[in-house]
Amino acid sequence: MEQILFGIGITAMAGALATVAGAAEDTESDIGSQGDPNSQVQLAPQMGYIHRIFNKAVAGEPPAYGLWVALGAGIAWAFMAMQINAILAIVVGSALAVFVQGVYATTAYLGRTASLAKFGQPVYIDIIKSVTTVTMAHAFVAIFTTVAMCHLMNAALGHPFPLPLLGLVWGIALGAAGSATGNPFYGKERQYQEQKFGAGVPISASGNIVRYAEAGQRSSIDNGWFSAKLGGPASGVCFGLIVFLELWRTVVFEELNVWAPIIVGVVLVLVFMVIDRYIEVWARKNFGPYTTETEEASA
């Protein structure tokens, strides 16, 4: 019983770390325009809309964060093998991984923007200086908390996978949670605020992103303010629940039977499928399809 209670405590701590990681990951991604919405940032100059939005996506969030977290976890693992304090090892490993992320972000921005020179899109040096450091700060939080979470799984729960492999798996999961949960807030609700709510993005509006703030041109930092309020917390809750429920079912039910955690996992998936379907049907019945004002008047 004591072992189960200890495991639940570690599970709760890992879920809390995952929640922070998910929030930081989505905010970093939206400030740097990485993920699905970045296609519209890349398209904007080609449609005649010059902007000051950071543009760094070369890979999607899952493989990118899989690389960064695995790199941070691998370096930390090597340092801990040298009998260096675990916390210090994780900090140093995460810092070195963030250095790679910063190089990646800078070269991606310069390369992508240079390819748009024929459309009149300039390279803004102040954007490189201000936005790159902000994305690195958020990336450090995301990488550090994820590597710390993986270390808890190894040291406290006795997970058989080595730390770098755990970092790769959970880094991919972290990027996927942010991409699937947080990006819609940025891509649809923030980047296209000029479109009516629920209208989606018509082909005629492709690339016509919001480029101006309350005072002057909008930068990626403005997107960060929005994401930190909505998309970031949503991504954090998503990733936190994934980690908590994954560890919880193993810690609690593994003692009963080898198949018990698997059965509980299948049941949880089915429960969430039912909840998702109910919410979708409820939303469709209450809000219905999007209609223009002309169609509403004639109806």
Side-chain angles (χ1 to χ4, degrees):
M1 186 63 182
E2 292 181 0
Q3 185 67 24
I4 293 177
L5 292 175
F6 174 76
I8 292 176
I10 296 298
T11 298
M13 187 178 297
L17 288 170
T19 302
V20 176
E25 186 279 336
D26 181 67
T27 305
E28 184 276 331
S29 170
D30 290 350
I31 291 175
S33 294
Q34 180 169 348
D36 300 335
N38 187 74
S39 60
Q40 296 297 319
V41 174
Q42 177 76 2
L43 179 62
Q46 303 174 47
M47 304 301 291
Y49 305 111
I50 306 301
H51 60 78
R52 285 170 56 83
I53 305 299
F54 205 77
N55 184 7
K56 74 176 177 66
V58 173
E61 294 169 61
Y65 268 90
L67 166 66
W68 298 333
V69 176
L71 181 60
I75 295 173
W77 187 52
F79 280 144
M80 283 187 279
M82 298 165 59
Q83 305 304 316
I84 295 177
N85 180 272
I87 296 177
L88 178 61
I90 294 173
V91 170
V92 174
S94 301
L96 292 176
V98 166
F99 175 79
V100 175
Q101 186 266 351
V103 173
Y104 163 93
T106 304
T107 54
Y109 172 76
L110 291 173
R112 276 179 160 256
T113 309
S115 70
L116 297 170
K118 65 177 69 175
F119 303 105
Q121 176 67 41
V123 172
Y124 293 101
I125 301 301
D126 64 312
I127 293 295
I128 296 178
K129 292 180 178 178
S130 60
V131 178
T132 305
T133 51
V134 175
T135 64
M136 291 175 68
H138 285 83
F140 176 82
V141 174
I143 295 169
F144 172 80
T145 49
T146 307
V147 174
M149 177 193 77
C150 294
H151 178 63
L152 280 178
M153 294 181 188
N154 263 149
L157 299 181
H159 199 287
F161 285 5
L163 189 59
L165 182 56
L166 270 179
L168 176 64
V169 172
W170 284 111
I172 292 174
L174 170 63
S179 180
T181 308
N183 275 359
F185 286 93
Y186 163 53
K188 299 178 181 66
E189 305 305 334
R190 186 70 178 91
Q191 214 171 47
Y192 280 92
Q193 287 180 318
E194 296 170 350
Q195 301 296 317
K196 289 187 177 295
F197 180 78
V201 181
I203 296 177
S204 60
S206 294
N208 187 16
I209 58 177
V210 176
R211 297 174 294 142
Y212 297 98
E214 293 72 17
Q217 285 185 292
R218 188 181 302 282
S219 74
S220 296
I221 304 297
D222 298 301
N223 291 332
W225 285 107
F226 181 84
S227 299
K229 295 178 182 178
L230 298 171
S235 299
V237 170
C238 173
F239 188 55
L241 283 175
I242 291 173
V243 172
F244 178 81
L245 293 176
E246 171 65 20
L247 297 180
W248 169 80
R249 67 184 179 88
T250 303
V251 168
V252 174
F253 295 98
E254 194 173 36
E255 297 294 331
L256 300 178
N257 188 279
V258 177
W259 290 96
I262 299 175
I263 295 172
V264 172
V266 172
V267 171
L268 286 174
V269 170
L270 294 175
V271 168
F272 278 108
M273 287 177 62
V274 172
I275 294 173
D276 291 342
R277 180 60 180 168
Y278 173 81
I279 293 175
E280 179 185 359
V281 173
W282 176 85
R284 289 184 181 275
K285 286 182 177 179
N286 284 273
F287 298 102
Y290 174 78
T291 57
T292 62
E293 294 179 0
T294 305
E295 292 174 347
E296 290 174 354
S298 60

